[in-house]
Amino acid sequence: MYYQICLLIISAAIGAHADQNALPGVGQTLNRYSGSHQISGSLFVLHNDRSFSGSVGLADDQTGEANNRDTLFLMASNTKHIVATSLLKLEEMGLLRMSDSLAKYFPEYPAEKFKIGSQRITLELMMRNLSGLPEAYDDARIEKKLYKKTISFRELLQGVMSQPLLFAPGSKYEYADVNFLLGGEIIRRVTGLSFHAFTREFLFDKLGLNNLQVGNTRKPWRIARSYLKQNGRRRDYFEANGIVEPHVTDVFSDGNMYGTAEDVAKWARHLVQGRVVCEDLLGKMFTPSAVSVANGSPYGYAWNILKDAQQRTVYVHWGGYLGYQSFIAVYPATGLSVVWLGNQEFGPEKDQFFNDILQAAGAL
């Protein structure tokens, strides 16, 4: 039986009607980069009671369909913090603890595979990228099939288990997809629900977020195709790279979520304001580990925990996969959330573009 440790109050939808005139500097900046760099994607900004929605470029070059407010984009690694949130939700329900050993959830392998000496992998170390687990994609058998044939979770797990740990758990920070691949499977093993079904029932439906989905089989007509620029020309990313099987199924919970920029921005604000999991658990997510701080990469549970030039805290994460690009920045103290979801790889303008958007939104 599921149960709640604390009562969560779900507020009404945030920024239901975005006003493009509410943050005029943001629109001007977006249009400037659209003209000079021909960027492609959707931007949504929430700043207290004001919001901005804007889209540029094409969702499909063949049909000429433009990106718009309802276009769905692959979120890539910005899926990872949703895996972490799901695990925290299960802790809130009393179904697991983040201090649990990873070995508990994969009893088909000897416990020794998940530790070095007395240092064992826990769920918390996974979400903090401190596990020492090797990437499944580094296994030769997985690499041979990648983007060519369907890969099962069993194959991914075998690819991980065929390699030794890279370092003693907890001793080093190293960003790794594998932590969130296994996290998605733990959600399934604990609840009997797929990552898609769990997030819909326990996270998104409760918040009225209908435009966040796992995998590409739901509302496929709204998903933007992805592109790259070669020799000044835009090319279909899948065709240019010979991709037959993109591997964005439910199994690949490290980066297989699609969404609109608007719903991602609303999700981020709901999360930060404690409307998804209790604040005492949320504190784990937004507290960087001492190891990551020492490494110069302050990292919580799938979020970079940074300070801006004015020493204000900002939660940031990037995503990039199969030509799609995502960026989320949340300023918890000022109520600002900025989300970009794109369907074309960035060039050298990337960092300056986001700096200018944040400045126009009033963050800098």
Side-chain angles (χ1 to χ4, degrees):
M1 177 70 70
Y2 292 115
Y3 64 91
Q4 297 284 105
I5 292 175
C6 69
L7 177 65
L8 296 179
I9 300 174
I10 306 300
S11 72
I14 301 170
H17 301 286
D19 180 1
Q20 292 193 351
N21 297 316
L23 296 163
V26 175
Q28 293 166 7
T29 302
L30 180 61
N31 289 334
R32 175 159 54 88
Y33 275 88
S34 174
S36 61
H37 294 281
Q38 298 180 327
I39 60 174
S40 184
S42 291
L43 176 72
F44 198 87
V45 179
L46 283 170
H47 199 180
N48 296 321
D49 59 347
R50 297 182 298 165
S51 57
F52 169 89
S53 176
S55 299
V56 294
L58 296 179
D60 191 319
D61 287 5
Q62 290 185 352
T63 65
E65 181 181 357
N67 286 321
N68 59 66
R69 187 170 176 168
D70 295 325
T71 303
L72 296 167
F73 302 87
L74 186 69
M75 293 165 56
S77 285
N78 271 304
T79 299
K80 289 179 169 63
H81 77 262
I82 298 176
V83 175
T85 303
S86 297
L87 292 177
L88 285 173
K89 191 70 176 175
L90 290 175
E91 181 167 42
E92 183 179 89
M93 292 173 173
L95 296 179
L96 56 71
R97 293 183 180 277
M98 298 305 293
S99 58
D100 286 345
S101 168
L102 177 58
K104 176 180 178 179
Y105 298 97
F106 295 95
E108 63 266 42
Y109 288 94
E112 288 70 25
K113 292 290 294 183
F114 301 98
K115 65 180 184 178
I116 292 180
S118 62
Q119 300 295 103
R120 61 175 191 157
I121 300 172
T122 64
L123 306 190
E124 172 145 346
L125 292 182
M126 290 170 61
M127 295 302 100
R128 293 187 179 281
N129 282 321
L130 304 174
S131 71
L133 286 166
E135 291 286 22
Y137 310 126
D138 290 339
D139 178 75
R141 292 165 296 180
I142 300 297
E143 187 177 20
K144 185 176 180 180
K145 294 183 69 172
L146 201 61
Y147 305 132
K148 297 178 179 65
K149 296 181 180 180
T150 301
I151 299 175
S152 68
F153 179 79
R154 181 183 178 186
E155 290 176 293
L156 290 171
L157 183 58
Q158 288 174 341
V160 175
M161 293 295 100
S162 68
Q163 306 171 72
L165 295 184
L166 302 178
F167 51 84
S171 67
K172 183 180 177 182
Y173 168 82
E174 187 166 309
Y175 187 89
D177 293 331
V178 62
N179 295 312
F180 303 90
L181 281 172
L182 299 191
E185 174 66 6
I186 289 169
I187 293 165
R188 188 192 69 78
R189 293 189 178 198
V190 169
T191 66
L193 299 173
S194 67
F195 181 47
H196 166 78
F198 180 84
T199 54
R200 276 256 61 88
E201 182 175 350
F202 291 96
L203 302 182
F204 305 143
D205 283 351
K206 294 180 182 298
L207 298 168
L209 300 175
N210 299 316
N211 295 308
L212 293 174
Q213 65 183 57
V214 175
N216 56 9
T217 58
R218 188 169 176 258
K219 303 175 184 175
W221 61 92
R222 288 175 51 192
I223 295 174
R225 297 183 68 86
S226 63
Y227 297 88
L228 54 77
K229 294 179 80 172
Q230 272 185 351
N231 302 319
R233 184 168 68 91
R234 201 161 100 133
R235 294 189 60 193
D236 183 283
Y237 189 92
F238 284 23
E239 292 178 2
N241 289 282
I243 294 174
V244 178
E245 169 53 67
H247 298 312
V248 284
T249 63
D250 198 282
V251 169
F252 290 77
S253 53
D254 57 320
N256 66 335
M257 187 161 284
Y258 292 79
T260 62
E262 180 174 356
D263 268 19
V264 174
K266 291 176 181 178
W267 158 260
R269 181 179 283 191
H270 281 306
L271 176 64
V272 169
Q273 292 184 347
R275 298 189 180 102
V276 183
V277 295
C278 299
E279 290 192 19
D280 58 336
L281 295 177
L282 196 63
K284 297 181 181 183
M285 176 171 277
F286 294 117
T287 301
S289 68
V291 175
S292 67
V293 171
N295 186 67
S297 306
Y299 203 82
Y301 284 21
W303 286 96
N304 297 286
I305 317 299
L306 306 178
K307 297 285 186 180
D308 67 8
Q310 300 177 46
Q311 292 303 298
R312 294 176 301 187
T313 299
V314 55
Y315 307 143
V316 178
H317 211 283
W318 277 98
Y321 185 53
L322 299 175
Y324 295 94
Q325 304 285 313
S326 65
F327 172 78
I328 304 178
V330 183
Y331 286 77
T334 63
L336 173 65
S337 299
V338 176
V339 171
W340 167 265
L341 299 180
N343 63 323
Q344 178 181 293
E345 290 188 324
F346 273 107
E349 76 278 2
K350 180 178 71 173
D351 291 341
Q352 190 61 51
F353 169 63
F354 286 109
N355 185 75
D356 289 350
I357 287 292
L358 289 171
Q359 186 169 22
L364 304 179

